[in-house]
Every structure is written in C-alpha cells, then in structure tokens.
C-alpha cells in the first residue's frame, strides 16, 4: 500500500450499522488512517458501538464516532459504505442514510462501496448508467437499477468507487487514497 501521508487533512465518513462485514470496515479504516486521513465511523441511532459480522457469525464491535443525524457531507471528503448483508440492507431503508449518500454524490465527493454496500447506492439513485462492481449476488439488482456491472476487484466511475469482497480491500483502499490524493 502506501506509507506516505497522502491524505493529511482529509476527512472520511464510514457509514455503517450492526451487521457490517468486519474486515470491510476495519481494514479500509486502518489503511486510510495510515495514509493520514481522519476516519469517522457514522451510525444511525444512539449506538456507541456497532457489531460486525464475520464468517457467518457476529464478530467484534467498533466504536461509533458520530450519529448519522449529526453528519454534514460538507465536513467530509469521502464516504465509505462497507458491506455485509445485514448492514446495507438496514441502511438502504433509512431515509437519513440514503440522503447522506445523495449529499456526497451531489457534491461530487468520493463515494466508495464494497461487497453488498452498493445496495445503499441503488436506493440513493446513484448507479443508473454507472460502471460498478459488487458481491456477485448483487449483480442483477445493480443491472436492474441501470448499472453496468463488471467483475473486477475495483471499478472507478468518476467519483464512484466499488469493489467486490474482502480479498479486494487493499485495492479498494488504494483506489480511495488515489482518488482523494488526486483531488488535493
């Protein structure tokens, strides 16, 4: 990856709730912080921590830095949407989560989703006519929403970055780092 501090002064929000794929939140967060970014975990409700999912069972928890209702897209440079089946399925039905994704997209800021994370992008109306990737089971959903699905570890279409699975996390994080470094 990168050990330089390409992202000093950059702020990134990670939107998640209980049931996020543990590695898809914790590893990108770690890699982005190593690159110098300030990464804040954002969750709906009043939870002080959210529980991850790994290998078909509950995994560790991560602290919540900000409540979803307190987040303003103008305070951040990028939004990360980790996967897991439970997490994006909950988020995509929450108007405040959908509105946050839309606010980042409308501002032209980087929006990055991995695995099942693109489900929330569908509900936010952000995939029509866009090139994306995801966990394979979302392909039909994304294509039905107008996306052009590709089976690649990372697909970047303008400000939108998508990735398939935990094995792709290094490439996913690097794509976010490069996008934000280029926008500096």
């Amino acid at each position: 990856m990168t050990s330089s501090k390409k992202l000093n002064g950059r702020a990134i929000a990670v939107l998640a709730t209980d049931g996020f794929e543990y590695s898809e939140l914790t590893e990108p967060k770690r890699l982005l912080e190593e690159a110098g970014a300030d990464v804040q975990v954002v969750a709906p409700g009043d939870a002080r921590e959210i529980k991850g999912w790994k290998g078909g069972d509950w995994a560790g928890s991560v602290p919540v830095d900000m409540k979803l209702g307190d987040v303003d897209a103008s305070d951040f440079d990028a939004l990360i949407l980790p996967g897991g089946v439970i997490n994006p399925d909950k988020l995509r039905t929450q108007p405040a989560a959908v509105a946050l994704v839309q606010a980042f997209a409308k501002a032209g800021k980087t929006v990055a989703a991995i695995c099942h994370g693109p489900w929330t992008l569908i509900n936010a109306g952000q995939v029509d006519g866009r090139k994306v990737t995801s966990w394979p089971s979302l392909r039909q959903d994304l294509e039905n929403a107008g996306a052009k699905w590709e089976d690649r570890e990372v697909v970047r279409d303008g400000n939108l970055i998508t990735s398939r699975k935990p094995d792709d996390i290094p490439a996913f994080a690097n794509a976010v780092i490069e996008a934000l470094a280029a926008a500096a």
Side-chain angles (χ1 to χ4, degrees), residues 5 54 71-72 144 180 184:
K5 298 294 182 182
K54 180 179 180 182
V71 175
D72 187 328
N144 286 345
L180 292 177

Side-chain angles (χ1 to χ4, degrees), residues 2-177:
T2 178
S3 60
S4 66
K5 298 294 182 182
K6 291 181 177 185
L7 300 185
N8 280 346
R10 297 304 198 127
I12 300 171
V14 178
L15 177 59
T17 192
D18 288 330
F20 64 90
E21 180 66 34
Y22 191 77
S23 65
E24 292 173 359
L25 188 154
T26 59
E27 275 304 291
K29 182 179 187 300
R30 180 184 68 79
L31 294 167
L32 293 164
E33 287 173 342
E34 283 180 3
D38 172 26
V39 181
Q40 300 289 309
V41 175
V42 174
D46 294 323
R48 292 184 178 194
E49 63 181 26
I50 52 176
K51 291 191 304 186
W53 189 261
K54 180 179 180 182
D57 205 352
W58 292 105
S61 295
V62 298
V64 172
D65 300 305
M66 297 181 75
K67 294 178 185 180
L68 174 58
D70 296 338
V71 175
D72 187 328
S74 67
D75 295 332
F76 293 91
D77 300 293
L79 177 66
I80 306 289
L81 300 169
V85 176
I86 299 167
N87 166 61
D89 198 43
K90 286 181 179 181
L91 290 176
R92 69 187 179 142
T93 63
Q94 296 192 15
V98 170
L100 184 64
V101 173
Q102 291 169 332
F104 272 86
K106 183 177 180 182
K109 296 183 179 203
T110 298
V111 176
I114 186 168
C115 196
H116 286 76
W119 259 345
T120 308
L121 295 174
I122 292 170
N123 287 51
Q126 298 304 309
V127 300
D128 190 18
R130 307 289 296 273
K131 288 187 242 175
V132 299
T133 195
S134 66
W135 186 254
S137 66
L138 271 68
R139 178 179 183 166
Q140 180 104 35
D141 295 343
L142 287 160
E143 289 177 343
N144 286 345
K148 298 170 186 147
W149 192 87
E150 300 178 7
D151 186 13
R152 296 193 351 231
E153 66 181 358
V154 175
V155 173
R156 184 169 176 198
D157 186 342
N159 66 322
L160 183 62
I161 298 169
T162 52
S163 199
R164 301 175 302 192
K165 58 188 175 183
D167 290 347
D168 300 334
I169 290 170
F172 176 68
N174 194 51
V176 174
I177 291 167

